[in-house]
Amino acid sequence: MDLTAFFTMTSGLYVVSAEADGQKAGCVINTAVQVTATPPRISVAVNKENVTAGVIAKAGAFTVTAIDQTADMPYIGNFGFRTSADYDKFEKYGCETSAVGSPYSPQHACALFACNLVETVDVGTHFLFIGDVVDAERLSSEEPLTYGYYHAVLKGKTPPKASSYQG
């Protein structure tokens, strides 16, 4: 089987974040999808081993920001290649609070979706979190960063916990 076929499935890059019991967590994902329009609902896939997955489950809410093309590799490395277990990912890039109480960084973000968690589906290595969008807004007019742009232009790598990782 040619697993590189999955690289043809277009997607953006996002930061999904939450806060529970005083712990802020966030990570880069490439699996955020609008599920329904009425009610407005999205799903995100987060690796079970990521601190962010546990914090979303505890918080019962999450926020997704669409990363824009102004993002550089240090920004992506900050949210995508570090752990929230012992590092404040929001300190360097600023932190605001969404309508559901989740932290988010407005830097390098072109849109925001604040969601209340309505369902969690175990899909093996990841949890699929489904949320009702209670607030959505455009944060800038910059173009969203696609996974293809990340690989082709920024020469980014895929971390082992990513849903698209191929060892």
Side-chain angles (χ1 to χ4, degrees):
M1 177 169 23
D2 182 3
L3 295 177
T4 63
F6 285 101
F7 295 156
T8 67
M9 298 181 80
T10 60
S11 63
L13 284 178
Y14 309 89
V15 173
V16 61
S17 56
E19 182 173 1
D21 301 328
Q23 182 177 24
K24 295 177 188 170
C27 63
V28 173
I29 61 169
N30 71 325
T31 47
V33 178
Q34 181 180 355
V35 179
T36 59
T38 306
R41 190 170 277 178
I42 64 173
S43 67
V44 297
V46 181
N47 189 292
K48 291 177 181 179
E49 294 179 10
N50 281 359
V51 171
T52 305
V55 176
I56 290 171
K58 284 182 192 173
F62 60 90
T63 294
V64 176
T65 53
I67 300 173
D68 68 36
Q69 287 185 9
T70 68
D72 55 14
M73 290 308 292
Y75 175 86
I76 292 172
N78 182 76
F79 284 99
F81 289 88
R82 302 202 63 169
T83 178
S84 296
D86 57 7
Y87 176 73
D88 183 355
K89 295 182 179 187
F90 300 94
E91 183 177 7
K92 184 175 181 179
Y93 292 98
C95 184
E96 302 206 10
T97 304
S98 74
V100 296
S102 298
Y104 73 94
S105 175
Q107 279 197 47
H108 304 298
C110 58
L112 168 133
F113 305 89
C115 305
N116 283 323
L117 181 62
V118 294
E119 189 171 352
T120 302
V121 180
D122 186 330
V123 292
T125 58
H126 287 63
F127 286 122
L128 186 64
F129 295 110
I130 302 168
D132 281 336
V133 180
V134 298
D135 187 32
E137 64 180 280
R138 290 296 303 252
L139 299 176
S140 79
S141 60
E142 296 291 337
E143 289 294 317
L145 177 63
T146 65
Y147 206 38
Y149 185 95
Y150 168 72
H151 284 293
V153 178
L154 297 180
K155 305 295 184 203
K157 304 290 184 219
T158 302
K161 291 182 184 177
S163 59
S164 59
Y165 178 72
Q166 297 176 18

